[in-house]
Every structure is written in C-alpha cells, then in structure tokens.
Amino acid sequence: MKIASWNVNSLNVRLPHLQQWLASAAPDVVGLQETKLTDDKFPDTALAELGYRSVFSGQKTYNGVAILSREPATEVQVGIPGFDDEQKRVIAATVGGVRVINLYVVNGQDVGTDKYAYKLRWLDAVHDWVADELQRHPQLVVLGDFNIAPDARDVHDPEVWNEHHILTSTAERAALQRLLDLGLHDAFRLHNDDAGVFSWWDYRQAGFRRDLGLRIDLTLVSDALRARCASAAIDREPRTWERPSDHAPAWVELTG
C-alpha cells in the first residue's frame, strides 16, 4: 500500500498536476492539504474517473483537506473531536485496514504571536486525539503538511531556521516529538539519514532552483506498521512543473 501526502496549494489550480501525478505514481491513498475550495466544488467526479474515491472537508480560499483512495474509505472523521475549530484542517478515514489521519497543521505566523499560541494549542489537541486513535487503530499513519521541520537536517540553513524561528522553534519541535513519543515514527527517517532532502520551497527568491527548502511534509507510521514500512521518499518532480504547488508529495510504502 502506497500512501502519500501532498499540499496542493489550491486544487482548483493544481487539479491537472494531481491527475498527472496520480496516473504516474499510482498511490493507493493520498492525503491532500490546502485544497482551498468548498465541498460543492470538490472534483470528485474527475478523480473517480482515475479510480479514486474522495472524502473531503473544505472551505473557500483557505485550508481544506481530503483523502483519496482506491478502496472505499470508512469511519470518516472531520476535525479534531472536542476541539472547536472552524478551520478545515483535519480529516481521518480507514482504508484497507489502515487508519489514515491527514493534517494541515497551523502555520503559526511567527513565534510569540496569537497564531503561534493557537498552533501549540492545536497540536496539543492533535496529540490527545492521536493517543486515543492509536488505542483503537494500532495500524495508523499520520501524514500531512506539519509546518514543522523536525531537525537541522531538514532545513537548508540551520543558522536561520533555528530554535527561535517559526517552523523550527523549540516549542514546535517539542510538540512534534510528543506526537512521536506516542509510538509514531518518521517514515522518511527510517530509510534515509541524509540532510538536505526537502518537501517545500518558497516561491520567492528562486527558492526551488537554489534548493532553499524545508522538509515539513511528513508521513508518520505507528509501531504496528514500522516493520511493514518498506520505503519512504519525497517526489520532487511535480515541483518542476509549470505553475507548481510550493510543496512536493511525500509518500510511504507499506508491505503486506
């Protein structure tokens, strides 16, 4: 089972890219973030023509998440249970016996701001929910745009992206570590120790051409799935296409 995550940064704009990538990469499950469209505008018919069923939760202009799958998705959950939030950032479903939680983590704007405090509260709520999900669904994958680069290997310049900077601050990385401590593993790091492998590049300052990136799109697998984690990587190719998303797909492949 190949499970992928991709922040498409507007599905309306990037639908042709998604269709092309689905046809070539052939994932079994894909979590999308930043679809940026209301549910009545979601292109489920176009995706069904490629063999994918869709569950989704969107809003106009901002946020929006979806899970595409070849098999029917069941036990669909929209939002974090018990956490009052109008922003459409979370969707979960079970596909082929694997529970998939798709997150579009809050950006946080800047350290010390109200949006940063909201990010940390949001991550605390995710932690408590995932802890509960793991009890009910040991075979669990948590994926998405985490808006957190796990460590210095995951940023192009650790002196700039340091413990005081948004996306790499001490509190954000600690929140991610708390999530991992529940019994989750960064699938990419199970297979690759290299620094300088990124999933996001700013549109400005020729970020992609100069490889000024961050690895903030993650696929986390549970203890029960660790032995089945055959490979994990980031597919840079869609970032080279015309009018690309600023993110590239991240994926993990499970055996058995």
Side-chain angles (χ1 to χ4, degrees):
M1 179 184 284
K2 186 176 183 179
I3 302 175
S5 173
W6 193 4
N7 180 324
V8 292
N9 192 11
S10 176
L11 187 52
N12 186 48
V13 175
R14 243 65 71 177
L15 179 58
H17 285 195
L18 177 61
Q19 291 169 314
Q20 180 179 344
W21 189 75
L22 290 174
S24 61
D28 299 290
V29 183
V30 186
L32 303 179
Q33 305 89 40
E34 281 202 278
T35 56
K36 296 184 178 179
L37 39 73
T38 54
D39 289 350
D40 60 306
K41 304 290 186 183
F42 193 90
D44 51 340
T45 301
L47 294 169
E49 291 174 357
L50 293 175
Y52 290 90
R53 308 180 187 210
S54 308
V55 293
F56 42 87
S57 175
Q59 63 189 93
K60 186 178 181 181
T61 309
Y62 301 103
N63 307 318
V65 286
I67 294 175
L68 317 181
S69 57
R70 294 189 182 276
E71 295 185 27
T74 61
E75 302 177 278
V76 178
Q77 167 70 42
V78 172
I80 306 167
F83 186 75
D84 187 19
D85 190 5
E86 295 181 354
Q87 298 190 33
K88 307 301 184 183
R89 294 181 170 275
V90 175
I91 192 166
T94 302
V95 181
V98 176
R99 187 66 168 168
V100 178
I101 295 179
N102 178 21
L103 305 176
Y104 175 44
V105 177
V106 180
N107 175 277
Q109 187 180 47
D110 204 358
V111 174
T113 64
D114 289 344
K115 290 182 178 179
Y116 182 77
Y118 161 55
K119 180 177 189 173
L120 297 179
R121 290 196 307 273
W122 192 93
L123 287 165
D124 280 344
V126 167
H127 171 275
D128 294 345
W129 174 45
V130 170
D132 183 60
E133 288 286 280
L134 274 167
Q135 295 300 312
R136 298 189 297 118
H137 303 281
Q139 296 190 86
L140 178 71
V141 175
V142 182
L143 55 76
D145 175 0
F146 277 73
N147 270 313
I148 303 169
D151 62 49
R153 294 171 295 176
D154 302 309
V155 303
H156 68 89
D157 187 345
E159 291 189 8
V160 172
W161 298 94
N162 58 37
E163 66 270 23
H164 307 295
H165 200 293
I166 191 70
L167 311 189
T168 56
S169 72
T170 299
E172 290 168 279
R173 282 176 165 168
L176 176 59
Q177 187 59 52
R178 284 186 68 224
L179 199 59
L180 293 170
D181 288 344
L182 291 173
L184 297 173
H185 307 273
D186 183 344
F188 179 80
R189 286 294 174 218
L190 293 178
H191 298 278
N192 193 327
D193 289 326
D194 293 345
V197 181
F198 307 129
S199 66
W200 173 85
W201 300 261
D202 201 321
Y203 288 128
R204 299 168 295 181
Q205 300 177 338
F208 183 68
R209 180 174 60 80
R210 299 168 63 198
D211 204 23
L212 306 180
L214 304 177
R215 189 176 70 92
I216 56 176
D217 301 270
L218 310 178
T219 55
L220 311 181
V221 298
S222 63
D223 283 335
L225 290 178
R226 180 173 181 170
R228 292 177 55 192
C229 182
S231 57
I234 295 163
D235 186 351
R236 289 170 55 102
E237 183 181 351
R239 188 62 173 83
T240 69
W241 297 343
E242 186 176 355
R243 296 187 71 200
S245 169
D246 45 354
H247 294 254
W251 56 267
V252 57
E253 189 157 12
L254 306 175
T255 59

